[in-house]
Amino acid sequence: MIILKSDVNTPLYIQIYEQLKEEIMNGSMPAGSKLPSTRNLAKTLAVGRNTVENAYLQLTSEGYVESKQGSGFIIQNVTAVNDLNKKSQYDLRDEESKVPEEKIMNPQVYNFQYGHLSGEDFPLRLWKKVSNKAITSLTADDMTRYSYPKGEYELRNEVKAYLRKSRGVLCDEEQIIICAGFEYALTLLCQLFRGDLNQIALEEPGYFGARQIFCNNGYEVLPISVEQDGLNLTSLEECPAKIVYVTPSHQFPTGAVMPIQKRVRLLEWAQRKECMIIEDDYDSEIRYNSRPIPSINSIAANGNVIYIGTMSKALSPSLRISYLVLPKKLMEKYAQRFEIYQSPVAVIQQRMLTLFMKLGYWESHLRKICNANKRKYDSLIHGITQYMGDQVIIHGKNAGLHILLESKQGLSESDMIEKAKAYGVLVYPVSVFWMNKSNYLDNMVLLGFGNLSEEEILQGIKEFSKALRI
Amino acid sequence: MIILKSDVNTPLYIQIYEQLKEEIMNGSMPAGSKLPSTRNLAKTLAVGRNTVENAYLQLTSEGYVESKQGSGFIIQNVTAVNDLNKKSQYDLRDEESKVPEEKIMNPQVYNFQYGHLSGEDFPLRLWKKVSNKAITSLTADDMTRYSYPKGEYELRNEVKAYLRKSRGVLCDEEQIIICAGFEYALTLLCQLFRGDLNQIALEEPGYFGARQIFCNNGYEVLPISVEQDGLNLTSLEECPAKIVYVTPSHQFPTGAVMPIQKRVRLLEWAQRKECMIIEDDYDSEIRYNSRPIPSINSIAANGNVIYIGTMSKALSPSLRISYLVLPKKLMEKYAQRFEIYQSPVAVIQQRMLTLFMKLGYWESHLRKICNANKRKYDSLIHGITQYMGDQVIIHGKNAGLHILLESKQGLSESDMIEKAKAYGVLVYPVSVFWMNKSNYLDNMVLLGFGNLSEEEILQGIKEFSKALRI
C-alpha cells in the first residue's frame, strides 16, 4: 500500500519508487508478480501517469522489475540482495564510540618534531593578500577546466626563474612538473622508470619516507652508506642499481654536505654507467651560515639528474606543492607514460603561489626565514652548549631545520626519548633512517626546531638536560 | 684580483666567494696553491675579517678549497667540473624559439570534448563566497602544519554524510581518503595491493586512463567484455585477476547500467573468491532521467568494495579533489603502507569545499546541474534526431555527460572525426577504449557535451550532420 508523504523535498516519483522497492525487498510484492499498471496506480494515488512511469523506469534501470512488451512490469527475484545485506550489516556502534584521531590533543610539551613549521614565521598577511587577489580574478572557466598536466605555465615560469637564480638549475618550463607533495613526485618517478629499472640505491642512513615510497612501488632498495662528505661512491660503484636517490646539499638526516669534487664524481658515475641521479633538494632554501650549496643539476643541466624541490620546508607544508625538473632526454617518455594524467594541484592554489612569487614575496620571505631560523639554530646551539656541555655531540650543523644529537654518556636512543618524554620534551628516533639497524650505534636522537620559538627551544633543551641528568 | 661591486643586494662575503670561485674555475688560482690569509685579504679589500672568513667557509663547504690546520686554505682540483660543464652546455636557443604549449589556441569550434565542464553551470558567486570565508578564517597554523594524512576531518565528515544520503555508502570518516584526483587515488590503490596482486580485470571497452595508470604501476591488465547490462560475469569467473575495476552505475564509455541482480552476483564473486571490486562512481551525480543508481558499496558495506568518487564531474575538475572509501578490512594495511604519506590536497582547498558542502550549496548545485545537463542532453538528442535521423544510433542514454554515436552509413571512426573537423566540429575516438582493437567495430565516435551550451550543441550537431552529408 503506497502512502505518499507530504515531503516537498522528495519528488513524488521517488517516493513511489522507494515504497515499491521496499515492498519488493520485504516480499510483500513477490517475484514473478506484476506491478499495477501505470494508469491504475496513477489514478489510485491521484498523481500524473508520467510520475508513476518515472518510478517504474527507475525500478527497471536498477533491475528490481523487468519491463516485458505487452505484459507490464514483472517483479524480479531479489532474495540474494537481502542475504548479502544481512551478512555485511554495518556496525553503527563502532562509529559512535570513536573519537576522531585528530581530536586527541597532546598536553603542553616541547615538541622537537621535524616537518611542521612555526606559525610565527608564516607571512599570513601577504598570503591572504595574494589569496584574495587570486580569488577575485577567478573565473568560472578556471574552475571548469583541468590545469595544464604539468601545472600552470605561469607557475612553472616563476619556479624556473627562481631555480635558475638560486639553485643554478637551468631548464625550461616544459621540464618542470608541479606535483602535490613529495610522495606524489617520487611516485611519478617510480611510474616513469617502471619496466626499465627495479632497483634503487638509497643513502644509509636516509629518509625513510623515500624508502617507503620506493618499496610501495615495488622497487628493491639498496642501501649505500653515508660518510662525513655524503654518499660513499665506492659502494655506489659496486651497487647494481641504475638510479640513486641523494640529498647532496644537506644529507637527511646526517646534515653532510657533498663537496664539489664528489658531486662531479657522482655525475661521472651516472654518465659512464648511464644511470640516473634523483637529487632531492628538500631544504636548500634554509641555509643560514653559508650560501645555498649549488645543486648537482647546476653542474650538468640536462644530464642525468632529476631535481626535486618543495615549498613545504620554506613556505608551507599545507600548501602541498613540490616540483620535479626532468632532464630533456626523459621528456618524451614522460609524455608517453602520463598522457592522461592531469595536474594534481588545484588551479587556484597554483595561482596564489604564482602571485606570491611574482610580487617578490617569496624572495623576501626566504631572507626572513633564513634569519629567523639562524636565531633559532643559535638558541639551540647555545642551549645545548650551556646545559649539556660536552656530554653530547651535535651533528648536521649550519643548515636546515633539524640536528642530530649524540649522547656521550652511553645513552641509547630509546633511553633518551623516554627520559625526555617524562619531562614533557619530545625528541625523535634516528634508528628509523637505517635499513640495516645493526650499522646504527643507537646513540642519537633527532631534534627539529622549525616549529618552536627561540624561547621554547632554550626551555626545551633545559628540560631535556634535566631529563638526561646532565 | 678581487673587485667589490657596489651591489647592496649581494652580501660582501658572497661577492668575494663568487670572484674567488671564478678564479679557481678559470685556472687563475691553480690547484695546490693557497688562498691569501683571511687577515691579508680583509686588509686589501678593506672589509672585516669575518666577511672573508665567511667567503672561505662557503668555498670550503662546496669543496673548492680545503682547510688544512696550520697551512691555510688549499685550492682543490676542479678541472673535472669544467669538463662536465662543457659537455652538458645548456642550449639556450631551444628555449627562445619555443611557444608554450598552452598558448597555441584553437580557432572557434564546436568541441564535443569529454571532461571539461561548462563555465555557465559553475556556481562562481557561491564558490567565491566560501573561498573568502575560508581565507578569512585561515591562520598561520593552518599553513604551517600538514593536513591529516587522510584529509581534513570536517571534509571527510561532509563526504560521509553525502555518500550515505545519496549513494547509500555506509562508512565512517576513517575509511575515507581525500585524494588529489583520480590518478592519485588509483595509484594509491596500486601501492596498497602491490606484492599481493599483480593482475587486474578491466572493462572492455573501458576507461583507458585507468588502464594507463594500472600499466604504469606494473599491473597486468586483463580485459573483460562489457554487455548491454555491464561487465560479462562469465568472463570474469574465468579470469585469474583478483581485483576488478568497474563503473557499474554508468559504464564508461558505453553508458551501460548494471542491474541489481548482476551487482549482487558481482559481489558474490568477490566474496567467494576473496577478490576486490574497485567501484568507480565517477559521474553518479549526473543523472537526469532517473535517480542515481545505488552504489555497489551500498549493497554490502565493508565487504569487498573500494569506492571511488570525484568532485571533477559535478563541480570542478580544476579543484582536484576525489576520494576513496576503503572497506574496514583494508584499514590496517593502509595504515602500514602509508605511514609517512601526507594528504596531497591543500588544507585551504579542503576547507573551501567543506564550507561549500556544509552550507548546502553542494546539494543545490547538484539539482541545478542535473537540470542543466538534462536540457543539454535533450538538445543533443533533439539535434541528432532532427538532423541525423535514422542514420545513427545513440548509445549510453539517460545519464552522464557523453554519448556514443554509431554510424549506420558504414563510416569509420576516423572518417567521422576527419569529416567533422573540416566543419569545425570536434568529436572523439572510441577505439582508445578497447585494449583489443579487433573487437571494436570501428563505427562510433564519442560526444561529450558538458562544456557546450544548448545552442552550441544544436549548432554543432547541425554542422556535424552536414559534414557526414546526412
Side-chain angles (χ1 to χ4, degrees):
Chain A
M1 180 59 200
I2 295 179
I3 299 159
L4 297 176
K5 297 171 282 181
S6 51
D7 170 0
V8 290
N9 285 323
T10 313
L12 272 180
Y13 87 90
I14 288 175
Q15 294 187 33
I16 298 168
Y17 150 82
E18 281 182 343
Q19 291 197 40
L20 286 171
K21 184 171 130 185
E22 204 185 312
E23 298 201 12
I24 295 168
M25 292 296 285
N26 67 24
S28 315
M29 286 180 147
S33 68
K34 269 200 266 183
L35 291 182
S37 76
T38 53
R39 187 172 20 185
N40 280 348
L41 187 57
K43 217 168 153 186
T44 314
L45 297 174
V47 299
R49 198 167 157 185
N50 228 2
T51 307
V52 176
E53 273 168 1
N54 277 336
Y56 284 19
L57 204 70
Q58 181 73 25
L59 288 167
T60 310
S61 76
E62 292 184 18
Y64 290 97
V65 300
E66 202 171 281
S67 157
K68 285 234 167 98
Q69 201 93 43
S71 56
F73 293 86
I74 315 293
I75 291 156
Q76 302 297 302
N77 187 343
V78 290
T79 45
V81 185
N82 275 325
D83 293 350
L84 255 160
N85 250 326
K86 264 176 235 145
K87 264 196 246 170
S88 63
Q89 211 40 268
Y90 184 76
D91 192 347
L92 276 169
R93 280 164 311 170
D94 268 20
E95 195 175 354
E96 278 155 19
S97 62
K98 187 166 306 137
V99 182
E101 68 211 306
E102 51 271 31
K103 296 274 152 100
I104 302 162
M105 299 290 279
N106 282 320
Q108 185 59 45
V109 289
Y110 300 103
N111 188 352
F112 286 91
Q113 189 177 11
Y114 180 75
H116 288 220
L117 306 179
S118 162
E120 278 170 39
D121 300 333
F122 184 78
L124 189 63
R125 192 182 56 79
L126 293 177
W127 188 259
K128 286 192 177 192
K129 189 173 152 187
V130 298
S131 297
N132 285 326
K133 244 184 152 70
I135 285 163
T136 304
S137 75
L138 188 73
T139 66
D141 261 10
D142 293 329
M143 292 301 291
T144 49
R145 65 172 172 91
Y146 284 99
S147 174
Y148 306 109
K150 292 174 185 168
E152 297 288 288
Y153 179 80
E154 291 75 13
L155 178 56
R156 286 181 283 134
N157 188 261
E158 289 297 327
V159 169
K160 168 185 136 175
Y162 162 69
L163 287 178
R164 175 169 296 206
K165 186 172 171 196
S166 299
R167 310 296 301 126
V169 173
L170 297 180
C171 63
D172 67 35
E173 293 84 356
E174 295 318 301
Q175 293 169 261
I176 299 176
I177 325 285
I178 305 294
C179 296
F182 180 69
E183 292 91 81
Y184 184 91
L186 229 51
T187 303
L188 209 67
L189 293 180
C190 288
Q191 294 177 64
L192 188 62
F193 290 116
R194 179 161 335 274
D196 303 329
L197 303 166
N198 50 22
Q199 294 178 314
I200 182 149
L202 235 73
E203 296 164 328
E204 166 93 333
Y207 179 41
F208 60 88
R211 200 164 71 222
Q212 189 175 51
I213 296 164
F214 289 123
C215 287
N216 280 349
N217 282 285
Y219 284 78
E220 186 191 354
V221 173
L222 305 173
I224 306 287
S225 63
V226 169
E227 303 162 329
Q228 288 293 345
D229 61 353
L231 205 68
N232 182 323
L233 294 187
T234 314
S235 303
L236 185 63
E237 288 283 354
E238 290 160 5
C239 175
K242 306 280 275 179
I243 326 179
V244 61
Y245 166 88
V246 276
T247 50
S249 296
H250 187 227
Q251 204 273 333
F252 193 81
T254 68
V257 174
M258 191 183 282
I260 185 77
Q261 292 80 0
K262 205 166 189 178
R263 287 162 188 248
V264 169
R265 280 171 54 211
L266 179 60
L267 281 163
E268 283 169 347
W269 164 84
Q271 286 193 352
R272 181 166 26 88
K273 293 203 164 180
E274 295 186 1
C275 294
M276 290 305 290
I277 299 165
I278 301 175
E279 174 177 23
D280 183 3
D281 207 22
Y282 66 106
D283 73 353
S284 61
E285 292 88 1
I286 322 281
R287 292 192 74 84
Y288 29 80
N289 284 343
S290 60
R291 280 192 93 203
I293 306 288
S295 67
I296 289 193
N297 186 298
S298 72
I299 309 172
N302 291 312
N304 301 50
V305 184
I306 294 166
Y307 179 91
I308 306 186
T310 177
M311 292 288 156
S312 293
K313 302 304 174 204
L315 182 62
S316 161
S318 98
L319 195 59
R320 305 279 64 214
I321 298 186
S322 61
Y323 44 86
L324 284 173
V325 182
L326 298 181
K328 289 197 172 174
K329 64 173 92 167
L330 285 178
M331 294 320 295
E332 197 183 320
K333 193 165 177 194
Y334 172 86
Q336 281 165 11
R337 290 246 162 141
F338 302 114
E339 193 192 342
I340 67 103
Y341 285 48
Q342 303 291 349
S343 166
V345 185
V347 167
I348 184 74
Q349 203 68 20
Q350 295 187 54
R351 195 163 300 164
M352 290 171 185
L353 182 57
T354 305
L355 280 171
F356 190 78
M357 296 179 86
K358 205 174 218 129
L359 294 171
Y361 301 158
W362 167 242
E363 269 197 48
S364 58
H365 173 67
L366 285 184
R367 278 196 295 274
K368 196 185 121 190
I369 55 156
C370 279
N371 291 333
N373 285 307
K374 164 117 180 86
R375 287 194 301 272
K376 287 182 190 188
Y377 170 81
D378 287 346
S379 288
L380 182 72
I381 302 302
H382 178 72
I384 293 173
T385 314
Q386 183 176 344
Y387 298 117
M388 304 179 119
D390 57 1
Q391 298 298 301
V392 292
I393 300 170
I394 303 169
H395 296 269
K397 290 185 177 180
N398 296 333
L401 300 167
H402 76 283
I403 58 152
L404 302 185
L405 203 63
E406 179 182 333
S407 163
K408 284 170 78 178
Q409 305 170 294
L411 287 171
S412 74
E413 170 181 298
S414 57
D415 273 352
M416 287 189 269
I417 291 171
E418 283 312 309
K419 285 176 194 285
K421 201 180 271 171
Y423 279 74
V425 179
L426 301 181
V427 297
Y428 289 84
V430 182
S431 51
V432 292
F433 301 112
W434 263 268
M435 278 183 77
N436 187 347
K437 309 281 179 216
S438 64
N439 289 333
Y440 170 48
L441 295 176
D442 192 20
N443 57 357
M444 288 184 209
V445 284
L446 180 141
L447 278 72
F449 54 90
N451 195 18
L452 297 170
S453 71
E454 291 162 60
E455 186 53 34
E456 287 168 330
I457 290 170
L458 269 181
Q459 280 302 316
I461 293 297
K462 190 174 174 185
E463 292 302 308
F464 189 27
S465 76
K466 284 190 210 158
L468 301 186
R469 305 192 192 291
I470 294 177
Chain B
M1 182 60 202
I2 294 181
I3 300 160
L4 296 176
K5 295 171 282 179
S6 50
D7 170 1
V8 290
N9 285 321
T10 312
L12 273 180
Y13 87 92
I14 288 174
Q15 294 187 34
I16 298 169
Y17 149 82
E18 281 182 346
Q19 292 196 41
L20 286 170
K21 185 169 129 185
E22 203 184 314
E23 298 202 12
I24 295 168
M25 292 295 285
N26 68 24
S28 313
M29 286 181 146
S33 67
K34 270 201 266 184
L35 289 182
S37 77
T38 52
R39 190 176 11 192
N40 282 348
L41 188 57
K43 216 169 157 190
T44 316
L45 297 175
V47 299
R49 196 165 157 188
N50 226 4
T51 306
V52 177
E53 273 169 0
N54 278 335
Y56 284 18
L57 204 70
Q58 181 74 24
L59 289 166
T60 310
S61 75
E62 292 184 20
Y64 290 96
V65 302
E66 203 170 281
S67 157
K68 285 234 168 98
Q69 202 94 46
S71 56
F73 293 86
I74 316 294
I75 290 156
Q76 302 298 299
N77 186 345
V78 289
T79 45
V81 184
N82 275 327
D83 293 349
L84 255 161
N85 250 326
K86 263 177 236 146
K87 263 196 246 167
S88 63
Q89 211 41 267
Y90 184 76
D91 192 346
L92 277 168
R93 279 165 310 169
D94 267 22
E95 196 174 354
E96 279 155 17
S97 63
K98 189 167 302 135
V99 182
E101 66 211 309
E102 52 271 29
K103 296 273 152 99
I104 302 162
M105 300 290 279
N106 282 320
Q108 184 60 46
V109 289
Y110 300 103
N111 188 350
F112 286 91
Q113 189 177 12
Y114 181 74
H116 288 220
L117 305 180
S118 162
E120 279 172 39
D121 300 335
F122 184 77
L124 188 63
R125 192 182 55 79
L126 294 176
W127 188 259
K128 286 193 175 190
K129 189 173 152 187
V130 297
S131 296
N132 286 327
K133 245 184 152 73
I135 285 163
T136 305
S137 74
L138 189 74
T139 67
D141 261 10
D142 293 329
M143 293 302 291
T144 49
R145 64 173 172 90
Y146 283 100
S147 174
Y148 305 110
K150 293 175 185 167
E152 297 289 287
Y153 180 79
E154 291 74 13
L155 178 56
R156 288 181 283 133
N157 189 260
E158 288 297 326
V159 169
K160 168 185 135 174
Y162 162 68
L163 286 178
R164 176 169 296 206
K165 187 171 168 197
S166 299
R167 309 295 301 127
V169 173
L170 297 179
C171 63
D172 67 34
E173 292 83 356
E174 295 318 301
Q175 294 169 263
I176 298 176
I177 325 288
I178 305 294
C179 297
F182 179 69
E183 291 91 83
Y184 184 92
L186 229 52
T187 304
L188 209 68
L189 293 180
C190 288
Q191 294 178 64
L192 187 63
F193 290 116
R194 180 165 331 278
D196 303 329
L197 303 167
N198 51 21
Q199 294 177 314
I200 182 150
L202 234 73
E203 296 163 328
E204 165 94 332
Y207 179 42
F208 60 87
R211 198 162 74 221
Q212 188 174 51
I213 297 165
F214 289 123
C215 288
N216 280 350
N217 282 286
Y219 284 79
E220 185 190 355
V221 173
L222 306 172
I224 306 286
S225 63
V226 169
E227 305 162 327
Q228 287 294 344
D229 60 353
L231 205 68
N232 182 323
L233 295 187
T234 313
S235 304
L236 185 64
E237 288 285 354
E238 289 159 7
C239 175
K242 307 281 274 179
I243 326 179
V244 62
Y245 166 87
V246 275
T247 49
S249 296
H250 187 226
Q251 204 273 332
F252 194 81
T254 67
V257 174
M258 191 184 280
I260 184 77
Q261 291 80 0
K262 204 166 189 179
R263 286 162 187 249
V264 169
R265 280 170 55 207
L266 180 60
L267 281 162
E268 281 168 348
W269 164 84
Q271 285 193 353
R272 180 166 26 90
K273 292 203 166 180
E274 295 186 0
C275 294
M276 290 305 290
I277 299 164
I278 301 176
E279 176 179 25
D280 183 2
D281 208 22
Y282 67 104
D283 72 352
S284 61
E285 292 88 359
I286 321 280
R287 292 193 74 84
Y288 28 80
N289 285 340
S290 59
R291 280 191 91 201
I293 305 289
S295 69
I296 289 194
N297 186 298
S298 71
I299 308 173
N302 291 312
N304 301 53
V305 184
I306 294 167
Y307 180 92
I308 306 185
T310 178
M311 292 288 157
S312 293
K313 302 303 174 203
L315 183 61
S316 161
S318 99
L319 195 60
R320 306 278 65 213
I321 297 187
S322 60
Y323 43 86
L324 283 173
V325 182
L326 298 180
K328 290 198 170 171
K329 63 173 96 166
L330 285 179
M331 294 320 295
E332 198 183 320
K333 191 163 180 197
Y334 173 88
Q336 282 165 10
R337 292 246 161 139
F338 303 113
E339 195 191 342
I340 66 103
Y341 284 48
Q342 303 291 349
S343 166
V345 184
V347 168
I348 184 75
Q349 203 69 19
Q350 295 186 54
R351 194 163 301 164
M352 289 171 185
L353 182 58
T354 305
L355 280 170
F356 189 78
M357 295 178 87
K358 207 174 217 130
L359 294 171
Y361 301 158
W362 167 240
E363 267 197 51
S364 58
H365 173 67
L366 285 183
R367 276 196 296 275
K368 194 184 121 190
I369 53 153
C370 279
N371 291 332
N373 284 307
K374 164 118 179 84
R375 285 195 302 271
K376 288 182 190 188
Y377 171 80
D378 287 346
S379 287
L380 182 71
I381 301 302
H382 177 73
I384 294 173
T385 312
Q386 183 175 345
Y387 299 116
M388 305 179 117
D390 55 3
Q391 298 297 301
V392 293
I393 300 170
I394 304 169
H395 295 269
K397 290 186 179 182
N398 296 332
L401 299 167
H402 76 282
I403 57 152
L404 303 185
L405 202 63
E406 179 183 333
S407 162
K408 286 170 78 178
Q409 304 170 292
L411 288 171
S412 74
E413 172 181 298
S414 56
D415 273 351
M416 286 188 271
I417 291 171
E418 283 312 308
K419 284 175 195 286
K421 200 180 272 171
Y423 278 74
V425 179
L426 300 181
V427 297
Y428 289 84
V430 182
S431 51
V432 292
F433 301 113
W434 263 269
M435 281 183 75
N436 187 347
K437 309 282 180 214
S438 65
N439 289 333
Y440 170 49
L441 296 176
D442 191 19
N443 56 357
M444 286 185 212
V445 286
L446 181 141
L447 278 73
F449 53 90
N451 195 17
L452 297 171
S453 70
E454 290 161 62
E455 185 52 32
E456 287 168 331
I457 290 170
L458 268 182
Q459 279 303 315
I461 292 297
K462 191 173 173 185
E463 293 301 309
F464 188 28
S465 75
K466 282 189 212 161
L468 301 186
R469 304 193 192 290
I470 293 177

